[in-house]
Each structure stands twice: as structure tokens, then as C-alpha cells.
Amino acid sequence: LNLAMDVANRLLPAFNSTTGLPYPRVNLRTGLKGVDSQQLTCTACAGSIILEFAALSRLSGEKIYEDVASRAMDYLWSARHRQSNLVGNVLNVNTGDWVRRESGIGAGIDSYYEYVAKAYVLLGEEKYLDRWNTHYSAIMKYLTTGPLLPDVHMHRPTTSSKHFTDALSAFWPGLQVLMGDIKPAIQQHEVLYQIIKKHNFLPEAITSDFQVYWGQHFLRPEFLESTYFLHKATKDPHYLEVGKQVLKALQKYARVPCGYAAVKDVRTMSHEDRMDSFVLTETFKYLYLLFSKDEELFLDIDQFVLTTEAHLFPVSLAKLSNSTNTREKSRESWLDFGFDYEEPQEEFAQSCPSSRLLFPDHEDSVSAAASVRKPLDNLVESASPSSPSNKPIKRTLLAGDFSSANSEHLKMVKDMGITILSLPDGRTQLLHTLTNAKTRELGEEGILFMQEMIEMAKQSQTPDSPPKQVRFQDSDGKEVVLQAGPAQFGPVLGGQGASTKKDGAAGALTANIVAANDIKACLNSQQNGESMWGKIVLVERGDCMFIEKARVIQSLGAKGGIVMDTVEGSAAASSPLFAMSGDGSQDVSIPLVFLFHQEAQILMKAMANNPKLEVTLEEKPSAQESDSSDADDVVPHRIRSPVHSILTQNIQQSKEIPVGPATPDYISVKTDETTGDIISESIRTVKNRDGSTRTFKTIHRMTQQEMEELASQTTQPSSSTGQVDMISESEVRSSQGEVVELEDNATNPADDFIEEETIEPPQDEQDTDTESLEHL
């Protein structure tokens, strides 16, 4: 109990929000420090605490735990949509605004409804029963348009918000049984069981026509939880058979030497190298309870409530609160008012509604349950014709053979139901829709084709893809260095910046640069090969794959290539490192690098000033080797210290970010009083191509150990590694450190209800620049 209170005390700072909803992250040592910028939480995250915290309060005598959890539940209840009585999926813990308004019983909401119901069962407080009845009526009114209870919009409950249902919703029949509505529980459970019989497991997500949407199966317990409660309520041996089939599938498809592995895709039964903790704490616990007889259990399971993680809390906790309406208190109240009190019959005191009441035309619950399942026979099979997935599929095109320049290949993937989309940023997206396939067989082949493409993409992503750089001298003789993205094909670039010499490294490449005649440089484009021979060729992103551009210019004698981004305003300093993927082939022997739009404009300007411009492609120096020396020419040697090292890194970043004249760009430095670490912060603004702006905050931390190492060095100190202390929903990463997006003023009609906050630097720090380093 003392350990439980210690953990709870460390979690309490999470509830220090304006609404009382807990922050999604809390540091067990420092509280909200460094994580308070992450303010979006899901409904289930904030609403699945009341059982544990209330139990702790009632066992320890400390009210604070139940109070904060109850306040969070009260706010979620007040935040429901007042017309539909549904709740959304994600909201802000400080403003209380809904950020995602889709409403359902699956991921993001599931255990909130579960804890509203079980809070009444465990704690005995009537308010939770009233809330459950209100929510349940709304769910059964608006979400029952299909057998899988698809999500709707909380503010437009007659409109579906997505066309699939996730596996987490399989807990719902069990909760319906617990609260006494058995018939719909039997119906939904039967549909889920038919899906399992078809695929051996319940896929992570299923479409409204019972097709696989997400093929993973993480050995989740929710379906078995419902199976256990239905068997307990009906005593129907059918549910023992259901449990037996699930157990056989686990033994056949998931058992591995060291445990039970998650299934990567139920259509291929390949494994993932993971076994979640809930497999032991929930999945096998419900199997054990399902197959155990009451007399075989070492405790009376009816005297406990199972939490969402299948932990057991005694219902006797209800007697430990003055606000609980227990049987003893009811008796005292009746006697106080002069009424006779008749003890309820023990046989019915804790039972669900009688099967005779629910199914008056049946002698027992077994025959009643069978009669409910009967009309649903073959529902899944009739809605989705027999899948040929258990038969060998005749392949017409393998992903490894696919070429976007081949018109026949494009027609073949279209027949498979695959749509190829060109995104505004130049990327290509493949979208597979089974119903768009020419035939059922081709649709099944399309699924395998997409899986192969995903695997190829994963294989082409090398773990070591350091950033590259393009180096040249401008017309004034000043050296210009532009950060570039790597390619996951072709030779490995080395050079001055290479932190280690890699096997097969080609070294730095220096040559004159020319632009391709047809700037896209795709197959069959009209090019002047003589102008490219022995040179580095500048091409533009789009219309074909990166590796195809490399093959084209390589065939015309180019020594290397640079691909320019087509997204206006994109920059390396404000974008994550971009690596160009290939197709798994090893036929490219020239290096290719990627330049964002702003860096490409600098290069093109230099090419216009010098038609014979010579550039060098090489690996970018590591953080330890690239510590700026420019500032050292301005700042006296006496302030070369950890503060100087960390500031010059931030100043160099600010110089590399082209921004408008009104940009509030500033740097500040402070010392962490707890750890003694030195922390520098900078805020800068980047303009989007539509004229809107995004504000980024960069934080670098230097530890005491790093400062001691720097102090012992006689050479110029190197900068510390950037460490993010603030985390927001959207992150971008650059090679100079970690960058956190604080504000995005881009217009998005779907998000017009989100309150925007403008970040302004302190007035006394707006003019900080290189010259003020000595003062700092």
C-alpha cells in the first residue's frame, strides 16, 4: 500500500490542469517539468483512473486520490455533447476543447464507458449509474447502424466518422452483460466470432463489410473477456467452444519458443517480435476463468470487479465511503422513516436480470442464447463472399517488378484496386480499396502487393542514413554549405564530414554542375547527354521515383545528382531529415542527394552567377566535428565555455533559417537549478507557402559531465547534443538538434475550433545576436 501511494503521489501533478483532466505525460521524478506542453489526451486516458485511485483512497484513508479522479470524470461528463450525449475521442486538458470529435466504443474512448459503469458497481455512487444509462441509451441509438457499432461524429451522430471498427471494441458485449443487457451482447459477440472463424484471429480493424482493414493481431483479450462474461451469464457451453477455438489458434499460430508472438497479419500469419504484457495479465487470465469451475477458484470471483487491465478489486470497497448507498445504509434509512425493510433474497441480490424476463419464450438461458445467434448464421460469409485467401493466389505482378513508368504495370495495379496518387509535396501514395478491384481475386492480390511494397520500403530504409551536404564557393569566394538529404541507394558518400569511413564509401564527389534539359529527368524524357557527361546534374522532384531519375542521368554519363524539392518554402532547418527511398535494386552507381526548396534556390542563384560552378557532394560533419568556428572569430577566446559552445550552435541554426524581416528570432540561456545543466532556448518563425507561419522552439541541454569534458579540452569545444525537454503533438527534427513545433498558423477548416496561441519572445531578448555573446 505504501508503494502504491508513492506512485500515486508522483502521478498527482498530472492533474494540475485548468479542467482537472490529467496531462497525458508526467515525469515520476520532476512532475510536469519538461512535459507540460503535451496537452492533448484521449477520453479513455483521462477517464480510466477512478477505480484505481478511489480504491487507493478508501484503503489508505487519503481522499486526494479519489477526489482528483472523480473531478476528471465529472469534467468528461460535462464535456459530452448535450444533444447526442456522446463524448469525443481527444480533447485539450487546459481548454477542454474537443480536438477529435469522432465517437465510438473503441480505441480512445472504450475504457471511459467501462469505468463509468464499473465505478457504480465498485463504489456504489448513483451518479455513475445515471451517467451510464444516459451514455448507453445514446450509444444504442446512434451507433447501431451496423453489427460492429461503427463510430459517428459526436455532434452529428447520424453520420459515420469512419468505415471500420477496431478490435478494442470487442470488450463491449462483456460490459453489456455486466450491466444486464444480454441480447445485444450475444448478437455482437456472434458477429465477432464469425470474423474470427474466417481469419483465425480478430484483426486489429475490420471494415463495415467485414474485410480486413488492419491485419495485425496483438493477442488482445477483449473478445475473450466478453466470452467469459457471456458464459457466466448464460452457462451456454457454446462459449466454452468459442474459447477452445481461440486457444487452439493461439497454440497453432502464436506459440513460439519464448512465449506467444503477436501476429503481423492474419492473412499471412507472420509474426512480430513482441508479446505485450496484457497477454499474460488479461488474455490468459480470462481463458483461465472461462474454463475454471467456481469450486476450483481460490476466491469468490463474484465479490470482485475486474478493472480494464483485469485486476481484481473487492466490491466491499463500497462500504468504506460515506457517499456509498450500501444495503446496510438503505436498511437504516428505511427504518428511520418508519417503513418496514424486507431483506432482498440472496439468490437474486447480485444477479443479472432473469433469463425468464429477458427470454420468456425459452425454458433456459442456453436455448435463449442459441435462438439469438440463429438469425445471424453465416452473416459474415454472406456479406463477404468466400475469400480465396486460403487458396494459392495466381500473381500477375510482384511489387519488386513494378515500375511506375510502365503503363501496363499501372493498369495491372489499378485492376487490383490500387490507386496511385501524386501528393502536393511530390511524394507518391498507393491506396488500396478492395471494392475497387476488377475481381475478387485481383483484390486479394492487391493486398499482397501492398504488403510487399511495405516490406520493400522497410528493407530500403537503412538505419545509418546520415545527412549529406552540398558545398561550393559563391561569386565572392565565400564558401557556402547546404544541408542535403541522403539516398537509400547508390554509393555511400564520404568526405571531410564523414564521422567514420564506411565500407564501400565513395568519398566526396566534386564536379561542375548542370541542370537537366527536362528538369524532371524521368524515363523517356528529352535530355542532352553531352552536357551531362562527367558532371553533377540538377533535377526536380516529381513524376517518377527518385531511383528512376538516378538511372536516367547515370545512363547519360553523370557523375552524381541533386534532386530539388518542389514544395515552396521547405527548408532543412524546419523539416525532418528527408531520405530518398529506392526500389530494392542495386544498379545505381552514382550518388544522389536531396535539397529542400530554400537550399535549392541558393544553389540555383549561384549557378546563374557562375555557369561553370563546381560543387562538392559529401557527408555532413557530425555534431562534434561541425561546431561553428565563425562565432569564434567574433567572440574573444576567453568566453569559449560550455555556454559559448551551446549558444553558437543555436546562433548558427538561426543563420541557416531564411525568415522574413519581422521574424521574432531570439536566444536565451539559463541554468537548471536542480541539475546544474546549462539550457539554451531559441524561437524562430518559418513562413508557409500560403503566407501563414509556424513557430518553432529549439532547446539544447548541456550536462555537468559534458561541461567537465569540455573544460578539460585544450582545443575548441564541441557543442552538446540537442535534447528535447518539451514535446508537442507534431515534431520535426533537424541535424542541428531537436525542434519542437509550438504554433502552426496554417489554415485548416477542420481545426477551426482549436484556440491558437501566439508565441512572442521577451522584449529584452529580441535583439540577441552574435555580437551580444560576450555580454551573455
Side-chain angles (χ1 to χ4, degrees), residues 169-305:
S169 62
F171 87 102
W172 187 252
L175 188 59
Q176 288 178 307
V177 171
L178 182 67
M179 301 308 288
D181 200 2
I182 299 179
K183 183 176 180 179
I186 295 173
Q187 292 171 331
Q188 188 188 2
H189 182 275
E190 176 62 21
V191 175
L192 295 172
Y193 181 46
Q194 290 184 23
I195 295 171
I196 289 175
K197 287 193 292 185
K198 180 178 179 180
H199 298 289
N200 295 302
F201 292 112
L202 184 63
E204 189 67 5
I206 287 289
T207 63
S208 56
D209 58 350
F210 310 117
Q211 302 305 311
V212 175
Y213 188 77
W214 293 328
Q216 304 98 319
H217 177 68
F218 300 121
L219 315 185
R220 293 194 185 279
E222 285 77 15
F223 176 77
L224 286 169
E225 175 184 0
S226 294
T227 304
Y228 162 68
F229 279 112
L230 276 167
H231 177 256
K232 190 169 182 61
T234 65
K235 305 300 180 184
D236 190 342
H238 165 78
Y239 297 107
L240 293 177
E241 184 62 29
V242 171
K244 178 182 176 181
Q245 294 302 317
V246 173
L247 182 57
K248 288 174 65 176
L250 286 170
Q251 293 296 105
K252 181 176 181 179
Y253 299 110
R255 187 76 171 94
V256 292
C258 295
Y260 290 81
V263 176
K264 194 172 187 178
D265 195 304
V266 297
R267 292 161 293 199
T268 62
M269 289 301 168
S270 55
H271 287 151
E272 287 197 23
D273 187 15
R274 63 180 287 182
M275 178 180 171
D276 292 272
S277 60
F278 56 68
V279 178
L280 292 177
T281 61
E282 298 183 73
T283 303
F284 287 119
K285 184 181 292 182
Y286 282 118
L287 278 170
Y288 170 75
L289 290 173
L290 175 64
F291 294 122
S292 297
K293 298 179 180 178
D294 291 342
E295 59 271 17
E296 296 173 345
L297 298 175
F298 56 87
L299 50 77
D300 184 359
I301 197 70
D302 292 332
Q303 300 302 318
F304 294 85
V305 172

Side-chain angles (χ1 to χ4, degrees), residues 634-698:
V634 178
V635 183
H637 181 76
R638 58 185 171 85
I639 67 166
R640 285 180 179 166
S641 64
V643 177
H644 167 239
S645 176
I646 202 167
L647 284 176
T648 49
Q649 186 178 30
N650 260 328
I651 287 178
Q652 185 63 26
Q653 285 183 34
S654 300
K655 287 180 178 180
E656 292 174 356
I657 302 171
V659 292
T663 299
D665 208 359
Y666 84 103
I667 303 171
S668 67
V669 63
K670 60 184 178 180
T671 302
D672 189 324
E673 296 179 357
T674 304
T675 63
D677 298 349
I678 293 177
I679 303 171
S680 78
E681 301 179 358
S682 67
I683 288 183
R684 57 196 182 279
T685 300
V686 177
K687 289 187 178 179
N688 298 324
R689 60 180 178 177
D690 60 357
S692 59
T693 60
R694 290 184 296 168
T695 303
F696 295 85
K697 181 175 183 178
T698 307

Side-chain angles (χ1 to χ4, degrees), residues 69 183 196 200-201 223 344 401 441 460 538 582 592 702-703 771:
K183 183 176 180 179
I196 289 175
N200 295 302
F201 292 112
F223 176 77
D401 299 332
E441 291 74 15
S460 66
L538 183 68
L592 201 68
M702 179 172 285
T703 65
E771 285 71 26

Side-chain angles (χ1 to χ4, degrees), residues 46 157 169 209 255 263 315 333 343 352 385 400 430 440 493 522 624-625 632-633 635 671 687 703 712 733 736:
S169 62
D209 58 350
R255 187 76 171 94
V263 176
V315 294
S333 299
E343 289 284 346
C352 292
L430 299 182
R440 179 78 185 179
L493 277 172
C522 293
Q624 288 73 19
E625 296 169 344
D632 292 334
D633 297 334
V635 183
T671 302
K687 289 187 178 179
T703 65
S712 64
R733 182 185 303 270
Q736 292 86 10

Side-chain angles (χ1 to χ4, degrees), residues 378-400:
N378 300 317
L379 173 67
V380 172
E381 287 297 322
S382 61
S384 55
S386 298
S387 171
S389 58
N390 57 345
K391 304 175 184 178
I393 297 177
K394 183 179 179 181
R395 300 302 301 275
T396 58
L397 179 65
L398 299 176

